[in-house]
Amino acid sequence: AFVTTPAPPAPARPAKRKPPARESQSALEHDELHPSHEEELDDGPGGEDGGDGPPRKLSRAAPKGSKFIPWKAAPLALPEWMVAPPGRLTEEWMVAPRPDGKRCIVLAVGGKTTVRSRAGRYLRKGGPFQSCLPGGSRPTSKRSSAAPNALTILDGVYAPATKDTAECIHVLDVMCWNDHMTYDCNADFRMFWAASKLQEVGASQFDPASNHVAMFAVPVFDANHEGILQAYNYREKVPSFEQDGLVFYNRESHYEVGATPLILLWKDQATSSCAVEPWPDPGPSYPEKSETPLSVVLELKKDGKLYSHDDPPIALGALSDEMKQSGTVQEFESGDLLRFVVLDTLAVLSCGEENVPQHLGLELVGRAGASRGQADSFSRLIFQCRVRHDPLTLEMILESADNPVGMDHE
């Protein structure tokens, strides 16, 4: 079987109700049942942020002058980057291999299934499709007269078709299955629920009539020495699995939309082709240093400062006097996402994390791509600086798992 999961806990069955803080779920359901002509398909280059390439229109009926309006916030749980192993790693955490591809939200409602980026764009060139998910096809959309529209929401990674492989969706998590909300269930249960339900409906089997895209639950392991190595070497066990690092989940965490320190992303050169993230293409060829230049996207606020995507946001700089005097910044407005190059990544590490805003040297490149939905997180900046000079290695993580006493980094 493709899915390998730890023994499930025995929590209560997910409640068939609408949690008080799930307005985003209602908005997602409304968008799919009442689609807008302004939706676009993002088939440009890029990674988890959706890329910086120009989007291609999906709707041929879109009136002239219409443009895509991205979601204000991605309705997904967004991991922070692991800059140090968390405390009680073995006791309180799980680990999974992260699939390579574009982070997505899968929505099955009204007899169709869609795959959207973090910004809300369609990722699949073919648009909506039929799936075996509850609500995702005409046969599975009607459950009863009392609840005519079944709804399923999955968190995943979309892998488009290549010359050697068919397109597929790697399922990371489940937020709703057939109207059963799982936002308030712990991660340990949600992983088991996703794997068992996908297996139950035969989601991994392509069917030209009822399941156009195969879906696989990503395997999850205990974050002990053996489990971490299993996740780390998973690409060797399943050669067709394109890996892009590891994801660590706190067992007791609920599914909280937005950035969360209870999900951690880690990469190295062996598990990812972009552990040291390359400069966006196309982009300037400077600074001419031996290290790969580090690009960072920050949000411009009304006070003229530049903020990360954290809760609360962290001010990491401000537009320089030189730019203000030259008039270059007059075209920018509050809320714009701007791309900068970090001039000295080693200095960022040497000054200490608490002093980064005072010592972060930034040079403006321009606006970030239209498909960017948000700024970078502070942990992403620190991780990318550290991976260039003093990376957190697999051996360090294994040491933390083997020696939990005195290894609390939180």
Side-chain angles (χ1 to χ4, degrees), residues 206-268:
F206 170 81
D207 188 309
S210 61
N211 196 46
H212 298 171
V213 181
M215 303 182 198
F216 305 94
V218 175
V220 182
F221 307 93
D222 295 325
N224 53 30
H225 190 109
E226 180 181 358
I228 294 171
L229 286 179
Q230 283 182 290
Y232 187 85
N233 297 314
Y234 188 73
R235 66 198 182 284
E236 298 178 2
K237 180 180 178 181
V238 183
S240 61
F241 185 87
E242 296 291 335
Q243 191 163 341
D244 187 29
L246 300 179
V247 184
F248 291 79
Y249 298 90
N250 184 280
R251 291 183 179 278
E252 298 301 321
S253 61
H254 294 172
Y255 193 97
E256 294 295 337
V257 172
T260 171
L262 298 179
I263 307 176
L264 298 173
L265 178 61
W266 175 86
K267 301 180 182 182
D268 70 357

Side-chain angles (χ1 to χ4, degrees), residues 138 211 345 356-357 400:
R138 287 177 289 274
N211 196 46
T345 54
V356 166
S400 179

